[in-house]
């Protein structure tokens, strides 16, 4: 995978109506993107997959839709006003701004990649007799790399824990980290930067107050904990799920929809008995990995990453990372948040946020295990693993999006072979029958080959062609996106074939 491939994916996403730069006619708005006609469908399907697997498939999880604006005290209670900061640093020559923590993490990641390379080389050299664990533990070069990472990590975590910004800068200097743009090591001091967007609510005269665009959806769940528990007669353990926009004034925003200033999160807070949180943490960690892999994306594209530095309120935290074209990066976080959030809201609101446990015959503030995933990052994961350029047997080439069938923006394209002889009428008849259940496209322009290519490029799994034989025996040609195989089938079999392949049920059952 390479930067080059990433550029191609971004260009493809634009050319085929998946993702556009926001307000492009005004030269765009940095790190803000719009989803086009195909992107909106794909995004909606991913959202639906998440919602069904959380809310529809779990009798003890319910979904809500809280407002983006919340009482300002929410963000005081959650700690965001005081501590939702990133350490930023500028390069004085390129004038580019970076997250100081990311510069150091990338440095460690580069060493880690050297280890992977050494291991891959050795595995090739030794063949079947290769003992990876022994090699990694004893090979002097690999051991040296590992020691270097451990040393940097130790220093870095300590600096983060103490919020020692001078030390973070010193680490960057000592490691001789250079600006990727200018190549220079001429850095400013490290400063903290709050990521929340603030705005004013109400007219000045009536005493406007500063409110924030929510930087995460989770707090909308915590402040509704009592409402949902009471009105839904929820029994612990139970979960509340929500999908919605979140806003962060990100310092570095150069990775397409991976890091946006306005994005969408899919979060679920699971409320459990104190003391049982780590058991549930393990449960959700495994389940969330399964959710990703059930889509059909190769398992080796995912890995767990344990947090080096736990937030002060967390007692366990893992990320699920995905191998994006620019390397393994966070896609989802699974956090054991203890009773921190509910306790903070109790303190600031003066309301009791407790559960009466009839089995224990006692009241307590529940502990929380959170799963938090970015919808846009999942979109990028699906899109980048789907993108393929292929050389065909006849020497021609095609670009195809192998999007999992159930997520594809359009499921079926229906083509009359020609515009004459009543073929469009027959094709329309099939189109009109299928559109009740699926997103369908009808196309009669250009030759069939071109029409196939256009559907490949947006990931449509099936193309149905109506020709003269259809008028005689009521059969059509179905062509499969991935294999490009074509089959002649009776028209009345089409709905069942399509429905089986694009159904959510099969994936959810996994
Ligand atoms: P990062 O370290 O990449 O900034 P984070 O640890 O701050 O992410 P969380 O606060 O745990 O992220 O948010 C949960 C999820 O929301 C992330 O795993 C990611 O998928 C998504 N997310 C967070 N920030 C952004 C963003 N700026 N753009 C798109 N998605 C985001």
């Amino acid at each position: 995978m390479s930067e080059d491939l990433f550029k191609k994916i971004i260009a493809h996403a634009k050319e085929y109506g998946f993702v556009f730069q926001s307000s492009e006619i005004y030269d765009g708005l940095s790190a803000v993107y719009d989803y086009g006609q195909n992107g909106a469908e794909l995004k909606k399907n991913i959202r639906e997959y998440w919602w069904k697997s959380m809310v529809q498939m779990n009798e003890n999880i319910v979904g809500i839709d809280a407002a983006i604006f919340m009482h300002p005290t929410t963000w005081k209670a959650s700690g965001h006003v005081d501590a939702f900061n990133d350490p930023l640093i500028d390069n004085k020559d390129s004038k580019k701004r970076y997250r100081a923590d990311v510069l150091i993490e990338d440095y460690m990641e580069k060493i880690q990649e050297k280890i992977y390379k050494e291991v891959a080389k050795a595995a090739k050299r030794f063949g079947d007799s290769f003992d990876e664990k022994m090699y990694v533990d004893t090979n002097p070069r690999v051991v040296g790399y590992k020691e270097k990472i451990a040393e940097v990590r130790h220093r870095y975590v300590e600096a983060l824990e103490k919020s020692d910004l001078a030390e973070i800068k010193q680490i960057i200097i000592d490691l001789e980290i250079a600006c990727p743009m200018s190549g220079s090591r001429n850095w400013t001091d490290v400063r903290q930067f709050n990521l929340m967007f603030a705005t004013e609510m109400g007219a000045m005269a009536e005493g406007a107050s500063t409110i924030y665009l929510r930087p995460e959806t989770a707090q909308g769940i915590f402040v509704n904990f009592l409402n949902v528990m009471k009105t839904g007669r929820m029994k612990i353990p139970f979960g509340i799920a929500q999908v919605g926009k979140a806003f962060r004034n990100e310092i570095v925003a150069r990775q397409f929809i991976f890091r946006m200033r306005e994005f969408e999160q899919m979060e679920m807070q699971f409320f459990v008995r104190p003391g049982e949180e780590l058991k549930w943490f393990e449960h959700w960690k495994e389940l969330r990995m399964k959710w990703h892999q059930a889509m059909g994306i190769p398992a080796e594209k995912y890995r767990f990453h344990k947090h080096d530095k736990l937030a002060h309120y967390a007692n366990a935290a893992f990320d699920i990372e995905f191998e994006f074209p620019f390397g393994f990066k966070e896609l989802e976080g699974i956090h054991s948040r203890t009773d921190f959030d509910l306790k903070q809201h109790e303190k600031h609101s003066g309301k009791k946020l407790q559960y009466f446990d009839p089995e224990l015959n006692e009241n307590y503030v529940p502990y929380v295990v959170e799963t938090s995933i970015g919808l846009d990052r999942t979109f990028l994961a699906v899109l980048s693993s789907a993108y393929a350029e292929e050389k065909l047997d006849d020497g021609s080439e095609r670009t195809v999006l192998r999007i999992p069938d159930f997520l594809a923006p359009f499921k079926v394209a229906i083509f009359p072979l020609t515009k004459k002889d009543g073929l469009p009428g027959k094709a329309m008849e099939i189109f009109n029958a299928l559109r009740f259940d699926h997103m369908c496209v009808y196309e009669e322009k250009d030759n069939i080959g071109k029409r196939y290519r256009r559907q490949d490029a947006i990931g449509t799994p099936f193309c149905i062609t109506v020709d003269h034989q259809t008028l005689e025996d009521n059969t059509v040609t179905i062509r499969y996106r991935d294999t490009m195989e074509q089959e002649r089938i009776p028209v009345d079999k089409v709905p069942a074939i399509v429905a089986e392949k694009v159904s959510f049920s099969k994936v959810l059952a996994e």
Side-chain angles (χ1 to χ4, degrees), residues 99 248 250 258-260 263 265 330-331 372 374 377:
R99 264 173 64 179
R248 295 183 188 178
E250 298 280 2
F258 179 80
R259 192 175 297 288
M260 299 151 93
F263 58 100
Q265 287 186 316
E330 169 175 347
L331 173 59
S372 173
R377 283 192 194 174

Side-chain angles (χ1 to χ4, degrees), residues 63 107 176 194 221 228 237 253 360 409 445:
Y107 177 91
E176 302 185 343
N194 193 291
I221 294 178
V228 175
L360 302 179
K445 248 186 92 195

Side-chain angles (χ1 to χ4, degrees), residues 47-48 64 79 109 115 134 161 239 254 258 267 275 279 287 325 341 390 400 403 407 440 447 472:
R47 191 191 290 119
E48 193 174 334
I64 64 165
E109 185 60 32
I115 298 181
M134 185 159 91
E161 269 164 2
R254 298 187 202 112
F258 179 80
E267 296 197 298
K279 179 185 91 184
L287 222 61
D341 302 272
E390 294 178 349
V400 54
I403 299 172
L407 296 178
C440 304
N447 66 43
E472 284 160 26

Side-chain angles (χ1 to χ4, degrees), residues 126-186:
F126 291 110
D128 287 344
S129 64
F130 183 58
D131 179 342
E132 181 174 329
K133 187 171 177 324
M134 185 159 91
Y135 180 81
V136 170
D137 288 343
T138 55
N139 177 279
R141 201 173 301 160
V142 172
V143 171
Y145 288 146
K146 282 203 305 187
E147 279 169 5
K148 181 73 194 170
I149 293 177
E151 180 199 322
V152 174
R153 177 157 291 148
H154 178 76
R155 213 177 142 193
Y156 162 67
V157 169
E158 203 167 76
L160 281 183
E161 269 164 2
K162 290 193 197 136
S163 291
D164 186 344
L165 301 181
E167 168 68 356
I168 291 178
K169 178 176 180 185
Q170 197 55 47
I171 297 175
I172 290 173
I173 290 171
D174 292 349
L175 296 178
E176 302 185 343
I177 295 175
C179 165
M181 305 291 277
S182 65
S184 101
R185 299 188 204 126
N186 192 7

Side-chain angles (χ1 to χ4, degrees), residues 229-422:
M229 184 179 75
K230 283 190 186 155
T231 56
R233 302 167 64 226
M234 308 305 290
K235 301 263 172 300
I236 270 185
F238 74 90
I240 304 178
Q242 167 163 235
V243 178
K245 289 276 176 121
F247 305 82
R248 295 183 188 178
N249 199 359
E250 298 280 2
I251 301 170
V252 181
R254 298 187 202 112
Q255 280 168 321
F256 192 41
I257 58 171
F258 179 80
R259 192 175 297 288
M260 299 151 93
R261 297 204 164 104
E262 170 178 345
F263 58 100
E264 208 164 324
Q265 287 186 316
M266 308 190 284
E267 296 197 298
M268 194 276 295
Q269 310 292 327
F270 201 68
F271 300 91
V272 305
R273 249 184 216 166
E276 294 192 349
E277 70 278 7
L278 292 180
K279 179 185 91 184
W280 286 109
F281 177 77
E282 283 307 316
H283 170 86
W284 281 109
K285 199 177 130 212
E286 297 313 316
L287 222 61
R288 291 306 303 148
M289 186 58 108
K290 275 201 185 133
W291 181 88
H292 288 280
Q293 294 180 352
M295 280 190 264
I297 296 172
E300 63 270 17
K301 293 227 160 235
Y302 296 91
R303 72 180 188 200
F304 282 117
H305 168 81
K306 188 168 184 274
H307 279 216
D308 292 327
K309 175 189 175 256
L310 289 177
H312 57 281
Y313 52 82
N315 64 1
F318 267 79
D319 292 336
I320 293 177
E321 293 186 338
F322 182 80
E323 190 178 15
F324 290 100
F326 40 85
F328 272 100
K329 294 275 181 240
E330 169 175 347
L331 173 59
E332 169 157 14
I334 298 122
H335 311 126
S336 175
R337 297 179 73 120
T338 68
D339 55 0
F340 173 81
D341 302 272
L342 289 179
K343 278 236 171 99
Q344 282 294 103
H345 288 303
E346 274 198 329
K347 198 166 109 194
H348 285 81
S349 69
K351 308 265 169 12
K352 270 201 168 350
L353 301 179
Q354 303 192 350
Y355 173 76
F356 176 73
D357 193 322
E359 282 170 40
L360 302 179
N361 198 26
E362 68 179 60
N363 278 304
Y364 54 75
V365 177
Y367 272 47
V368 172
V369 173
E370 155 184 272
T371 73
S372 173
I373 175 173
L375 176 50
D376 313 272
R377 283 192 194 174
T378 312
F379 182 107
L380 183 58
V382 170
L383 186 70
S384 56
S385 66
Y387 183 90
E389 291 171 3
E390 294 178 349
K391 266 220 149 34
L392 307 181
D393 292 343
D394 65 2
S396 65
E397 281 178 23
R398 73 162 180 164
T399 302
V400 54
L401 292 185
R402 297 172 181 277
I403 299 172
D405 294 347
F406 76 111
L407 296 178
F410 288 88
K411 309 302 189 213
V412 202
I414 295 120
F415 309 145
L417 183 64
T418 66
K419 287 188 212 167
K420 296 181 304 213
D421 307 330

